[in-house]
């Protein structure tokens, strides 16, 4: 065959292969266009999972009559003009491909009206049709797009579509996701002429939370901690779920960068690492995070659907993200410490608050000092924070009794608290062990009688590779055969433990990941220490404690990082405030 230019219809069909995979990808492109056009309201209606018909109505700027044909032409866009624009692109679209791609594989009707026009204009076309001239169309300002019979003209692609039900569930996911990404947007979704859900704009704290609860579920909101932090050139806000809301699937992990939903392996890994201390590695954390940074720091032009991005300085952003989230999860009960202590790297300390608490701020300003008090009720802004801290009753209150040898009952300023003694103590032991890693653990204690250990060949290889990582921690071993290891020295801190078991646990944990790095090793050591803490030092259920012993434990929990969860991510204590108690007894109704 000789070389020839492809006809434009075929070029559009090829482009559609990248951009339009299913009704949900059409919805994504059209919702993004509406958002780029400044819409504050988007109505979505689908028939048969969007395969038969999908229509989107917005109240954005609209498209002028003379530009309607251009909007349907490939590589025509109103969003960028130059390479400089592309490098700093703030709009969701910029490639000028979506509308022509959709029109290449489905029947399309595009109605649009700008505020300056008295009525709108409409274009209707089928795949392969030449562009017709617009016809007048009465309508409110904004844009209305109807896409029918997707892939009708491309049977090979139509075969890849699933049942209407499955396609609808993808539509639903995309609609919720875009709604999450645009907090000021009102969205509704209809399927087969039935309204399935709608959300209003959520600009103040309370309505924002209602909105997220509607989109992600009440339970997520009930378990969410507010995160709000600025530093290192990154503004971070959103909600992260307490470890107790962990999931078996990574289905509630939403990260938006400058308003764009991004699914990035390294971001996911950074967040997983942030939870590593409080979550079993088979469980998935849940979060909804908004990051704002200079658009020049991210390259969004990596993939046609733009769900992958590249960071100019990924290490810095990931470390920052991991540390900040880690701090919020780890926040001990005395929140005041977190608020006044400078965060690593110089930024303001992350703000921690239960969802719905008065500490919610959106303005990016440092929180006032009495923030901690406001979390527990009686804030008094006039007095200095230090004085308040002295007068404040301890957050976990004072112990009243031990119940069934398992729980401590404690009275607080505004209710009661039940503490799982064993779980809480386990966490305290673990954190103490970890705090000592840097010093005592690093001291190696040579073994008089080296320990011989038989493991699988692959574990022996792993151990050999890990030798240079383990040595600085005081753990020295060498490979003495295909399946033989010889432990010659152990960390002084762990001298009393079962060394063979320690090494086995460590190797098992390391072998679960395909890469060996400092982060992974730290995680493995944490988990081995966690088991050690669980097996040894912890208070066993059933032991009698005196009131002073109980109060000492409560004070220890208050000052221990991550003490809200045990090493396995279960809560270590629960609170019932007076309102909850009154509800239990149906008082005040
Ligand atoms: P891109 O979004 O990459 O620019 P599209 O093919 O998605 O490319 O859209 C082409 C152009 O049509 C956009 O640049 C925009 O000017 C216009 N447009 C598309 N949808 C809308 C809409 N809902 N409201 C206003 N203008 C729109
Ligand atoms: Mg677009």
């Amino acid at each position: 065959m000789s070389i020839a230019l492809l006809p434009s219809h075929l070029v559009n069909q090829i482009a559609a292969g990248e951009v339009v995979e299913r009704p949900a990808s059409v919805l994504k492109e059209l919702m993004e266009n509406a958002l780029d056009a400044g819409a504050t309201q988007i109505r979505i209606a689908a028939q048969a999972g969007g395969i038969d018909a999908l229509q989107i109505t917005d109240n954005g700027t609209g498209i002028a009559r003379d530009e309607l044909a251009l909007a349907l032409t490939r590589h025509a866009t109103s969003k960028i003009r130059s390479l400089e624009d592309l490098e700093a692109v703030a709009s969701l679209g910029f490639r000028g491909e979506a509308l022509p791609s959709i029109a290449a594989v489905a029947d399309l009707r595009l109605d649009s009206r700008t505020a300056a026009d008295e009525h709108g204009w409409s274009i209707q076309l089928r795949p392969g049709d030449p562009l017709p001239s617009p016809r007048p169309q009465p309508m409110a300002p904004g844009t209305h797009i109807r896409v029918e019979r997707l892939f009708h003209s491309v049977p090979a692609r139509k075969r890849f579509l699933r049942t209407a039900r499955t396609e609808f569930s993808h539509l639903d996911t995309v609609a919720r996701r875009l709604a999450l990404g645009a907090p000021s947007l009102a969205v509704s979704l209809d399927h087969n002429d039935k309204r399935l859900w709608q959300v209003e704009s959520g600009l103040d704290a309370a309505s924002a939370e209602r909105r997220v609860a509607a989109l992600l579920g009440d339970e997520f909101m009930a378990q969410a901690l507010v995160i709000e932090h600025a530093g290192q050139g990154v503004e971070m806000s959103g909600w992260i779920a307490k470890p107790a809301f962990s999931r078996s699937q990574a289905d509630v992990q939403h990260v938006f960068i400058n308003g764009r939903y991004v699914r990035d392996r390294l971001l996911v890994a950074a967040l997983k690492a942030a939870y590593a201390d409080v979550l079993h590695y088979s469980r998935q954390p849940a979060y909804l995070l908004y990051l704002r940074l200079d658009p020049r720091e991210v390259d969004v032009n990596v993939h046609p659907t733009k769900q992958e991005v590249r960071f100019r300085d990924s290490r810095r952003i990931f470390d920052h993200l991991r540390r900040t989230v880690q701090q919020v999860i780890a926040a001990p009960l005395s929140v005041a410490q977190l608020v006044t202590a400078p965060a690593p790297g110089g930024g303001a300390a992350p703000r921690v608050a239960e969802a719905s608490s008065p500490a919610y701020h959106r303005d990016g300003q440092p929180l006032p000092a009495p923030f901690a008090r406001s979390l527990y009720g009686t804030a008094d802004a006039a007095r200095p924070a230090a004085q308040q801290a002295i007068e404040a009753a301890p957050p976990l209150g004072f112990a009243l009794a031990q119940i069934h040898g398992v729980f401590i009952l404690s009275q607080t300023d505004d209710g009661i608290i039940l503490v799982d003694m064993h779980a809480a103590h386990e966490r305290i032991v673990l954190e103490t062990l970890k705090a000592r890693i840097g010093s005592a653990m690093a001291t190696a204690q040579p073994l008089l009688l080296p320990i011989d250990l038989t493991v699988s060949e692959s574990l022996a290889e792993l151990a050999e590779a890990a030798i240079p990582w383990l040595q600085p921690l005081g753990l020295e071993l060498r490979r003495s055969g295909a399946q033989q290891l010889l432990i010659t020295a152990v960390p002084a801190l762990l001298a009393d433990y079962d060394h063979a078991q320690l090494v086995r646990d460590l190797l098992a944990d390391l072998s679960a990941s395909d890469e060996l790095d400092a982060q992974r090793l730290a995680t493995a050591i944490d988990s081995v220490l966690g088991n050690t803490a669980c097996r040894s030092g912890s208070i066993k259920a059933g032991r009698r404690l005196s009131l002073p012993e109980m109060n000492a434990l409560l004070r220890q929990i208050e000052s221990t990082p991550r003490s809200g969860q045990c090493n396995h991510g279960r809560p270590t204590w629960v609170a019932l405030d007076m309102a909850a108690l009154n509800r239990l007894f149906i008082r005040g109704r």
Side-chain angles (χ1 to χ4, degrees), residues 306-322:
K306 309 178 213 81
Q307 286 200 358
E308 280 168 41
V309 291
R310 227 178 264 136
F311 293 94
R312 184 165 292 174
D313 185 357
S314 49
R315 258 274 70 92
R316 180 175 61 84
I317 293 184
F318 300 143
D319 286 349
H320 178 58
L321 184 63
R322 177 174 53 75

Side-chain angles (χ1 to χ4, degrees), residues 154-175:
V154 203
R157 307 227 30 213
K158 181 146 195 195
R159 276 196 291 278
F160 281 96
L161 293 182
R162 302 302 177 85
T163 59
R165 209 183 133 123
T166 304
E167 294 302 338
F168 178 74
S169 91
H170 288 291
L171 282 182
D172 184 59
T173 303
V174 164

Side-chain angles (χ1 to χ4, degrees), residues 6-86:
L6 296 171
S8 71
H9 176 58
L10 185 53
V11 171
N12 285 335
Q13 278 184 322
I14 292 170
E18 284 182 317
V19 183
V20 185
E21 190 195 342
R22 55 178 10 137
S25 30
V26 174
L27 179 63
K28 169 184 177 289
E29 294 296 334
L30 298 183
M31 280 183 84
E32 289 189 347
N33 279 348
L35 281 168
D36 283 346
T40 57
Q41 194 183 79
I42 296 182
R43 281 183 285 133
I44 310 161
Q47 301 287 337
I51 303 171
D52 290 357
L54 178 63
Q55 71 184 35
I56 285 120
T57 309
D58 70 53
N59 64 348
T61 54
I63 308 172
R65 178 195 184 280
D66 296 343
E67 292 185 357
L68 276 178
L70 265 179
L72 290 163
T73 307
R74 192 166 152 76
H75 302 316
T77 180
S78 56
K79 298 168 194 175
I80 56 169
R81 288 283 181 270
S82 66
L83 188 63
E84 289 81 68
D85 288 353
L86 176 60

Side-chain angles (χ1 to χ4, degrees), residues 127-266:
D129 281 357
L131 276 171
S133 344
R135 285 205 297 235
Q137 170 72 32
M139 64 185 290
T143 301
H144 171 84
I145 296 186
R146 184 171 170 94
V147 177
E148 276 178 59
R149 301 198 300 161
L150 182 65
F151 296 142
H152 169 72
S153 59
V154 203
R157 307 227 30 213
K158 181 146 195 195
R159 276 196 291 278
F160 281 96
L161 293 182
R162 302 302 177 85
T163 59
R165 209 183 133 123
T166 304
E167 294 302 338
F168 178 74
S169 91
H170 288 291
L171 282 182
D172 184 59
T173 303
V174 164
R176 284 174 196 266
R177 182 182 293 155
L178 272 128
L180 285 170
S184 58
L185 188 70
V187 188
S188 66
L189 177 65
D190 295 2
H191 190 216
N192 298 337
D193 304 315
K194 232 174 71 195
R195 172 71 37 105
L196 294 188
W197 54 261
Q198 67 185 70
V199 290
E200 301 306 320
S201 74
L203 286 178
D204 59 282
S207 61
E209 281 176 8
R210 265 199 310 280
R211 200 170 176 278
V212 172
L215 292 166
L216 287 183
D218 292 335
E219 215 201 319
F220 172 81
M221 225 350 130
Q223 297 287 340
L225 298 163
V226 172
I227 184 166
E228 187 88 55
H229 181 252
Q232 305 254 320
V234 186
E235 272 178 43
M236 221 179 270
S237 62
W239 293 266
I240 62 175
K242 291 178 199 162
F245 185 75
S246 74
R247 325 203 16 109
S248 62
Q249 285 179 348
D251 56 348
V252 188
Q253 300 186 344
H254 302 277
V255 180
F256 296 88
I257 298 179
N258 295 341
R260 183 189 303 283
Y261 172 81
V262 166
R263 179 98 196 144
D264 182 284
R265 273 185 55 216
L266 288 169

